[in-house]
């Protein structure tokens, strides 16, 4: 299989193009990260402290590597009185939960985890998968992160408002931001695979999914946001500042992992489905679906930035992709998560896989 000579994306990614040297169009579009002045982050921290509230800062925590490091930095480097907030999206890797508890204990930080009283994230997920079953892996991957995308923002904003916390320090990094690339690939994919049919059953589940999403917005309403609009909640409170730690400070995965392992007793979550370790047990399903659709994982798109910015070697990325590709040749582990953890029936899972086979044949 032909791959980009710089990153690891293969020729099977819809819409990808290669120049004469074998460099892909995603690498050609790569722009270096912008970095803000670290002194500005110190100023934000000083400003938050000066308010003298119960907590200076909320750090949203997933149990993953990057947010654990931000928690450590907020407490030890910025010297803030921190509240750690986790959204329990119902599919957390137990190892990630243990990581969060250990980190908060080690730092003496209060830890709050919020879960839907109605287990709404699982309901949204099942309805969305059933509503898109004729779209195979495309429908499956599209259903995965919707509930969390609203949920994790809403619980953080709600707690910041309720407890008057003046600063929110996020742990996401520009280096891993790759939605603009996957959006491009899906656009090209959809041109090749026009609309799939919709059965009466699928139409009912589409309605139920909308209802479940509405109930989520009611349960986790963020002040100033409409419950009738389907979009990510925004923070509408001039008294609270949001900042992204890695916009100011270097994001160095090796350094990050070494610090949190040493200081917080952090451990890599164990592999669930494939060797890719993650704080969410659904993420490997996303990777699996991407492999079926594009011939590479979801992570493969994030590797474009990481390789181009020198944070990861191409060999390292290629080894991870190949290992995952081998693991995904066997689909039993993915089917097991969909049945046991997500709660679909074996027949429902079969229908999603059969739709994928059909799409492949039609293409
Ligand atoms: Zn490339």
């Amino acid at each position: 299989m032909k791959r980009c000579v710089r990153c690891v994306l293969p020729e099977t990614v819809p819409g990808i193009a290669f120049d004469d040297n074998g460099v892909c169009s995603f690498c050609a579009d790569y722009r270096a990260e912008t970095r803000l002045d670290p002194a500005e982050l110190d100023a934000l921290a000083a400003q938050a402290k000066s308010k003298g509230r119960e907590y200076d800062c909320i750090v949203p925590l997933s149990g993953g590597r990057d947010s654990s490091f931000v928690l450590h930095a907020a407490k030890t480097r910025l010297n803030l009185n921190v509240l750690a907030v986790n959204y329990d999206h119902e599919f957390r890797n137990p190892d990630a939960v243990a990581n969060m508890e250990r980190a908060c204990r080690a730092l003496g930080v209060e830890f709050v985890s919020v879960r839907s009283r109605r287990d709404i994230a699982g309901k949204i997920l099942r309805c969305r998968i059933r509503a898109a079953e004729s779209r195979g892996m495309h429908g499956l991957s599209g259903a995965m992160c919707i509930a969390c995308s609203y949920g994790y923002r809403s619980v953080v904003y709600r707690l910041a408002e309720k407890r008057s916390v003046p600063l929110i320090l996020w742990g996401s990094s520009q280096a891993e931001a790759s939605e603009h690339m996957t959006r491009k690939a899906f656009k090209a994919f959809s041109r090749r695979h026009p609309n799939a049919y919709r059965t009466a059953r699928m139409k009912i589940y589409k309605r139920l999914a909308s209802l479940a999403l509405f109930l989520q917005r009611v349960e986790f309403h963020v002040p100033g946001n409409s419950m009738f609009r389907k979009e990510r909640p925004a923070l509408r409170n001039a008294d609270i500042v949001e900042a992204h730690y890695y916009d100011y400070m270097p994001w160095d995965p090796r350094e990050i992992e070494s610090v949190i392992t040493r200081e917080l007793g952090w451990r890599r979550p164990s592999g669930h489905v494939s060797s890719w370790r993650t704080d969410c047990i659904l993420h490997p399903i996303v990777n699996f679906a991407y492999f079926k659709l594009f011939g590479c994982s979801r992570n493969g798109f994030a590797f474009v930035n990481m390789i181009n910015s020198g944070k990861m070697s191409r060999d390292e990325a290629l080894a991870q992709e190949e290992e995952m590709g081998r693991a995904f040749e066997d689909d039993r582990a993915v089917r097991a998560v969909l049945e046991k953890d997500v709660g679909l029936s074996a027949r429902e899972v079969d229908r999603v896989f059969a739709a994928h086979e059909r799409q492949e044949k039609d293409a």
Side-chain angles (χ1 to χ4, degrees), residues 192-254:
R192 258 185 239 172
H193 301 270
N195 288 343
Y197 66 89
R198 226 185 251 289
T199 60
R201 175 189 145 92
M202 289 168 66
K203 283 179 193 157
I204 290 170
Y205 276 111
K206 189 168 183 248
R207 296 228 163 159
L208 288 175
S210 294
L211 176 64
L213 282 163
F214 173 71
L215 291 175
Q216 185 189 35
R217 292 193 295 271
V218 173
E219 186 178 357
F220 296 113
H221 178 241
V222 180
N225 287 259
S226 165
M227 283 185 266
F228 297 97
R229 228 178 273 152
K230 283 187 204 167
E231 55 188 28
R232 291 172 177 179
L235 179 67
R236 305 204 194 279
N237 185 328
D239 197 33
I240 304 171
V241 176
E242 277 186 278
H244 295 261
Y245 182 81
Y246 301 109
D247 282 354
Y248 302 88
M249 305 300 288
W251 178 80
D252 178 346
R254 279 188 198 86

Side-chain angles (χ1 to χ4, degrees), residues 4-9 16 18 22-28 304 308:
C4 170
V5 296
R6 192 177 293 165
C7 70
V8 293
L9 291 180
I16 199 170
F18 296 91
V23 175
C24 81
S25 41
F26 292 94
C27 280
V304 173
N308 278 285

Side-chain angles (χ1 to χ4, degrees), residues 156-177:
V156 167
Y157 293 157
R158 284 162 58 85
L159 263 169
E161 299 236 8
K162 195 172 148 202
R163 299 176 79 160
S164 299
V165 186
L167 176 65
I168 300 169
L169 207 49
W170 293 99
S172 47
S173 70
Q174 294 176 41
E176 288 193 312

